[in-house]
Amino acid sequence: MTKSSNKIDSQNLNVDVHYLTRVEGHGNIVVDVKEGKLAKCEFQVIESPRFFESMLVGRSIWEAQHLTSRICGICACGHTLASIKAAEDALGVKPSAEVVMLRKLLLYTEMLDSHILHIYILVAPDLLGVKSIVPLIKTHRPVIEMALRMKRMSDYGAEVLAGRHIHPISYVIGGLTQLPSREGLEKLHTLMLESRKDGEATVKIIKTLKFPQFQRPTQYMSLTSDDEYAMYDGDLMVNGEKSKVRDYRKLFMESVVDYSKAKISKINGKSYAVGSLSRFNNNFNKLHKKAKAVAAELGLKAPCYNPYLNTAAQLVEWVHCLEESITILEKILKDGLKEEGVVVASWPKRSEVGKIKYKPNTGTGCVEVPRGSLFHEYTIDDSAHITAANCVIPTNQNIGNLEDDMRKLVPELLGKKTQEEITLDLEMLARSYDPCISCATHLLDVSFV
Amino acid sequence: MKKQSKPKVAFFDFTDCEGCQLQFANMGNTFLELTELVDIVSFREVMSENGQDYDVAIVEGSITTDNDVARIKKIREKAKILVAFGSCATIAGVNGIKNRSPLELAKQRVYGDKAGLINTIKAMPLDAVVKVDYYILNCPPYIPEIIAVLKAILLGKPYPLPNYAVCVECKMNENVCRYEKDQECMGPVTRAGCNSWCINNGNRCYGCRGLVEKPASDAAKDILQKYGLKVEDILNSFTLYNDSMGEKYDQEFK
Ligand code: SF4
Ligand code: SF4
Ligand code: SF4
């Protein structure tokens, strides 16, 4: 941690946050100002890489989802869905409308879960001036119980839909290995209706908290769709222009920096942001009306250029996902689910192993996960074994943007705040992106230079 | 009477997805009750404090760098009790797949011409480097088992791992066997304790808990015989979690 310094020095600053806490994974913030000049401003990802893209090579595409959900414990459902979509794209499998609806429900459930975890457990302690949720268990017990109740609701959703939240079980290529039970869905519906008032209470709380004032317009990328607030499907949108998901490599460029295990990603040579605020800025009009009302209550308007307000955008999305989930659940409870979406756990069947020939192909899948657009891409041979894989994770895409934010923010604070205050502001800035560093190190480009 | 001080618990993570730790957040109110029984002194994912004084170290993730080796040894020195938490920590988990190709190739596939910047060694479970006192298996850990192990630790008792196959639990749950559906399943050779979690949800067992001690015995034998399989038939699939089985497979079949 930083050395104590009460004297405010406008010429020199040295921030070295070794192991940023309350984030997923391991990262450092290093800022060095010498004689008024910003000599260093880095967000270093130091997590040990896990080599998922290499692990995938040679394995059956039917195993890909099982393996890649293990990239991240928080976004396991998102990785599952991006993986399944990429595999289906490669194999030419088309899921039924009902299966797509259940997948959206699972994705919303994870969004609900992750956003509430971030808002209460990772960000709220900063805004309340404490170091973690632990002292809040004593001082703010009813709020913590509420947060856990909200989290429990979404965890229960993933349990009912997919068997569990961390590394879901029943969502596979082509459909589900088992339909969720009616009793489970009914209970989830009840829990979601009850959660509405916890959501309202959360809006009241977040409204009273003070986010730092800081503005930096940047490029915002997300999925977009004419039909809905895009999360499961759509085209990519940046600077008002659309492109196809499969062209993602043409849209953004990645480069390796020597201080970090994560690559830096750019569009038109400049950094860009993904995540709640980007989706909010790009797709505001498609939000549920209750979510729009919450945005108004929080004073959040699109476009919003304050990265700290990503947390507020998460709350807006929380309300959106809750309302969309309730709508889907009510449709299912009214119409029932048809068995046609149920497929066997793993293809090919034992008796088919080695007998089916596939078309060698490359498939790409993208979904919006809590931290932004997540891409999986697999190339398969004629036995449906993976010959190359690429996973692009939101945190990686955000790192360049975060560093550019820090470059603008540090000079604005120099001479006005103490070193500790600046350090905290930088930590909070990094945390507002909800970085998921453990995933970020798996970002790679498989093209060999 | 003097009140006994609460055991100090610290969480550590190595190379992994952090899903294991998240299972604590997923416990809901049980987590709040836990905070009353123990003092959590370090938990980087949820708190900024970083206590260096602890009795119990709950460690997740695999050892994959030289730095990891040094760090786990330090943790071992300080901890009275060391708990290996989850498949990555207990059997190297999916990280072990990395060991199936030469390290240089893995680095190059992922980082291209910058492969030289990456420091990595073979992925290992914790007990390849230090002594482990308690094991919590599964990927992700099964909450009832987490609680059972924590109870054993608080009572100072050992926690014996089940030494029968997942099939036993699967039968008790009255699932239709995956082999009946022309599917493969690792249940016959996998150590029980997850209550056949995946099969209950229509999927098959992938072997995330590691091998049962005598995989060809007991329930396993019946199943395999019934469907005309040898243990080796399913070892290939077993490499998803257990890389040493991969080596065995290579030696015997390639
Ligand atoms: S054991 Fe599974 S859940 Fe735990 S850290 Fe490893 S991959 Fe994640
Ligand atoms: S082989 Fe699998 S599905 Fe069949 S009884 Fe054993 S665990 Fe259950
Ligand atoms: S059924 Fe198999 S793969 Fe699933 S949790 Fe149990 S041991 Fe792990």
Side-chain angles (χ1 to χ4, degrees):
Chain A
M1 288 297 287
T2 31
K3 284 174 262 114
S4 171
S5 100
N6 293 318
K7 203 178 116 268
I8 294 180
D9 182 339
S10 61
Q11 292 300 303
N12 296 292
L13 174 78
N14 189 279
V15 174
D16 184 3
V17 179
H18 193 78
Y19 273 19
L20 177 65
T21 54
R22 277 184 281 134
V23 296
E24 275 270 293
H26 301 151
N28 298 338
I29 298 174
V30 179
V31 174
D32 197 12
V33 181
K34 279 198 189 84
E35 288 155 18
K37 275 220 178 77
L38 194 55
K40 206 175 203 183
C41 188
E42 292 172 358
F43 183 75
Q44 307 171 338
V45 169
I46 48 163
E47 183 95 358
S48 323
R50 291 173 75 199
F51 299 95
F52 268 96
E53 286 81 354
S54 174
M55 288 185 206
L56 283 163
V57 174
R59 298 199 80 96
S60 159
I61 195 152
W62 307 106
E63 276 181 355
Q65 166 275 326
H66 187 89
L67 192 51
T68 53
S69 79
R70 268 105 188 138
I71 291 176
C72 174
I74 287 199
C75 294
C77 297
H79 278 284
T80 291
L81 295 172
S83 176
I84 290 173
K85 283 181 75 184
E88 288 177 347
D89 189 32
L91 293 162
V93 170
K94 213 174 149 19
S96 70
E98 180 175 285
V99 167
V100 169
M101 183 170 71
L102 286 165
R103 286 181 186 171
K104 282 184 188 168
L105 194 51
L106 184 69
L107 193 62
Y108 295 152
T109 305
E110 182 165 80
M111 204 69 81
L112 290 169
D113 192 80
S114 177
H115 282 357
I116 223 60
L117 180 85
H118 187 239
I119 293 169
Y120 276 114
I121 301 185
L122 309 179
V123 171
D126 282 332
L127 299 172
L128 294 166
V130 290
K131 293 220 175 286
S132 79
I133 189 182
V134 177
L136 298 178
I137 295 174
K138 286 217 173 67
T139 57
H140 294 69
R141 180 95 184 188
V143 177
I144 298 305
E145 280 176 2
M146 180 172 81
L148 288 175
R149 184 164 66 232
M150 293 166 91
K151 200 171 151 17
R152 188 70 209 120
M153 173 272 291
S154 33
D155 272 331
Y156 181 75
E159 249 165 75
V160 166
L161 295 166
R164 62 188 173 212
H165 176 200
I166 301 175
H167 314 325
I169 300 168
S170 59
Y171 281 50
V172 294
I173 295 170
L176 282 77
T177 58
Q178 178 169 293
L179 291 180
S181 73
R182 182 161 186 104
E183 307 78 76
L185 293 171
E186 276 168 0
K187 185 175 165 200
L188 178 60
H189 180 241
T190 310
L191 289 176
M192 285 188 158
L193 293 182
E194 285 169 10
S195 247
R196 277 179 171 154
K197 64 174 188 313
D198 288 341
E200 284 161 20
T202 302
V203 174
K204 298 262 163 343
I205 294 169
I206 296 298
K207 229 173 107 174
T208 62
L209 299 178
K210 271 209 158 43
F211 291 95
Q213 290 296 319
F214 170 68
Q215 304 266 324
R216 192 181 73 84
T218 182
Q219 313 181 92
Y220 299 95
M221 186 179 89
S222 70
L223 286 177
T224 195
S225 159
D226 293 339
D227 309 326
E228 59 185 358
Y229 190 82
M231 290 202 178
Y232 175 76
D233 222 350
D235 289 326
L236 290 169
M237 161 86 112
V238 65
N239 301 332
E241 278 178 44
K242 285 189 197 173
S243 39
K244 292 280 168 223
V245 165
R246 78 169 67 88
D247 296 330
Y248 75 100
R249 284 176 195 257
K250 286 186 212 149
L251 183 62
F252 53 83
M253 292 273 295
E254 300 166 310
S255 58
V256 176
V257 284
D258 56 10
Y259 56 83
S260 176
K261 305 268 165 63
K263 292 181 185 179
I264 303 282
S265 193
K266 296 197 163 160
I267 293 177
N268 301 325
K270 289 193 294 254
S271 61
Y272 64 97
V274 295
S276 292
L277 198 58
S278 295
R279 292 189 289 256
F280 176 87
N281 283 343
N282 285 349
N283 301 320
F284 174 81
N285 285 332
K286 295 280 185 298
L287 278 169
H288 191 277
K289 63 176 190 307
K290 284 196 180 172
K292 283 185 185 157
V294 167
E297 199 177 339
L298 294 172
L300 190 67
K301 283 194 205 79
C304 164
Y305 301 128
N306 181 352
Y308 287 99
L309 291 180
N310 190 47
T311 308
Q314 286 178 326
L315 183 54
V316 170
E317 286 192 335
W318 188 91
V319 173
H320 174 84
C321 292
L322 185 75
E323 293 305 325
E324 290 295 313
S325 302
I326 290 172
T327 306
I328 294 179
L329 276 171
E330 286 175 351
K331 184 173 162 28
I332 296 174
L333 291 174
K334 186 166 138 285
D335 302 345
L337 287 170
K338 292 177 273 320
E339 287 285 323
E340 67 191 21
V342 178
V343 296
V344 292
S346 57
W347 291 346
K349 294 180 180 179
R350 282 189 57 78
S351 54
E352 295 167 346
V353 173
K355 291 179 194 143
I356 308 175
K357 284 276 172 249
Y358 297 88
K359 198 170 111 238
N361 202 1
T362 296
T364 314
C366 173
V367 294
E368 287 290 331
V369 291
R371 293 152 188 81
S373 319
L374 168 68
F375 300 81
H376 280 222
E377 183 180 78
Y378 312 131
T379 302
I380 53 167
D381 63 14
D382 65 0
S383 64
H385 281 74
I386 296 172
T387 55
N390 194 27
C391 304
V392 184
I393 277 100
T395 293
N396 266 94
Q397 302 175 63
N398 273 331
I399 287 175
N401 206 65
L402 165 60
E403 289 187 337
D404 283 347
D405 281 349
M406 296 200 304
R407 273 182 205 108
K408 176 160 191 277
L409 179 64
V410 169
E412 287 179 13
L413 301 179
L414 270 181
K416 296 192 194 108
K417 290 194 170 190
T418 62
Q419 174 144 321
E420 292 86 74
E421 287 166 337
I422 296 178
T423 304
L424 182 64
D425 276 10
L426 288 172
E427 284 193 31
M428 285 171 66
L429 178 66
R431 258 180 230 127
S432 75
Y433 280 88
D434 200 357
C436 189
I437 306 164
S438 47
C439 299
T441 50
H442 315 129
L443 152 158
L444 3 119
D445 193 336
V446 190
S447 56
F448 306 117
V449 197
Chain B
M1 212 169 67
K2 198 175 147 248
K3 206 173 152 264
Q4 253 200 322
S5 68
K6 296 194 239 171
K8 294 192 182 72
V9 177
F11 289 81
F12 299 97
D13 50 359
F14 286 83
T15 304
D16 72 342
C17 83
E18 312 208 355
C20 288
Q21 295 181 30
L22 270 175
Q23 284 293 63
F24 277 90
N26 292 349
M27 282 181 188
N29 285 334
T30 313
F31 182 69
L32 293 188
E33 285 160 26
L34 184 70
T35 62
E36 281 155 21
L37 294 175
V38 302
D39 270 335
I40 298 177
V41 297
S42 182
F43 199 157
R44 188 191 47 77
E45 200 175 56
V46 293
M47 57 203 274
S48 295
E49 295 100 325
N50 185 10
Q52 287 301 317
D53 172 27
Y54 44 85
D55 306 303
V56 182
I58 300 183
V59 187
E60 63 169 51
S62 310
I63 305 300
T64 67
T65 63
D66 295 326
N67 192 27
D68 288 353
V69 173
R71 196 171 144 237
I72 188 67
K73 284 185 178 161
K74 276 209 189 104
I75 293 170
R76 174 72 267 186
E77 271 168 29
K78 287 189 184 168
K80 294 193 186 83
I81 293 170
L82 191 139
V83 187
F85 188 34
S87 302
C88 291
T90 52
I91 56 171
V94 293
N95 297 320
I97 300 171
K98 181 184 89 174
N99 304 345
R100 311 257 306 129
S101 55
L103 283 180
E104 285 312 313
L105 178 63
K107 285 202 271 185
Q108 200 215 15
R109 273 182 190 150
V110 178
Y111 289 91
D113 62 347
K114 298 278 180 177
L117 292 171
I118 306 297
N119 157 21
T120 190
I121 57 175
K122 182 178 147 93
M124 292 181 284
L126 303 184
D127 63 7
V129 182
V130 295
K131 179 173 167 281
V132 169
D133 303 302
Y134 287 87
Y135 292 85
I136 302 180
L137 304 177
N138 238 86
C139 173
Y142 183 54
I143 290 177
E145 190 173 47
I146 301 176
I147 294 169
V149 177
L150 292 179
K151 269 191 197 150
I153 295 171
L154 287 171
L155 295 170
K157 291 189 175 154
Y159 179 80
L161 292 167
N163 200 14
Y164 44 89
V166 170
C167 288
V168 175
E169 293 174 330
C170 187
K171 296 238 167 74
M172 295 212 287
N173 287 324
E174 299 179 5
N175 292 317
V176 177
C177 179
R178 303 310 304 177
Y179 284 98
E180 294 280 356
K181 299 189 170 183
D182 198 10
Q183 292 286 292
E184 237 170 43
C185 180
M186 299 300 110
V189 291
T190 302
R191 191 190 288 276
C194 65
N195 193 31
S196 62
W197 205 349
C198 300
I199 308 107
N200 303 350
N201 285 282
N203 214 311
R204 59 179 178 130
C205 175
Y206 293 85
C208 81
R209 296 176 61 84
L211 273 186
V212 67
E213 259 162 47
K214 280 181 249 141
S217 65
D218 309 325
K221 226 185 204 161
D222 299 348
I223 292 272
L224 297 174
Q225 263 167 15
K226 187 169 165 199
Y227 298 98
L229 292 165
K230 294 197 217 90
V231 176
E232 291 74 23
D233 286 338
I234 51 181
L235 287 183
N236 191 20
S237 301
F238 213 95
T239 61
L240 195 55
Y241 285 97
N242 199 317
D243 92 275
S244 61
M245 291 317 298
E247 279 163 29
K248 182 171 157 38
Y249 178 82
D250 288 346
Q251 278 162 19
E252 294 183 13
F253 301 98
K254 291 216 169 149

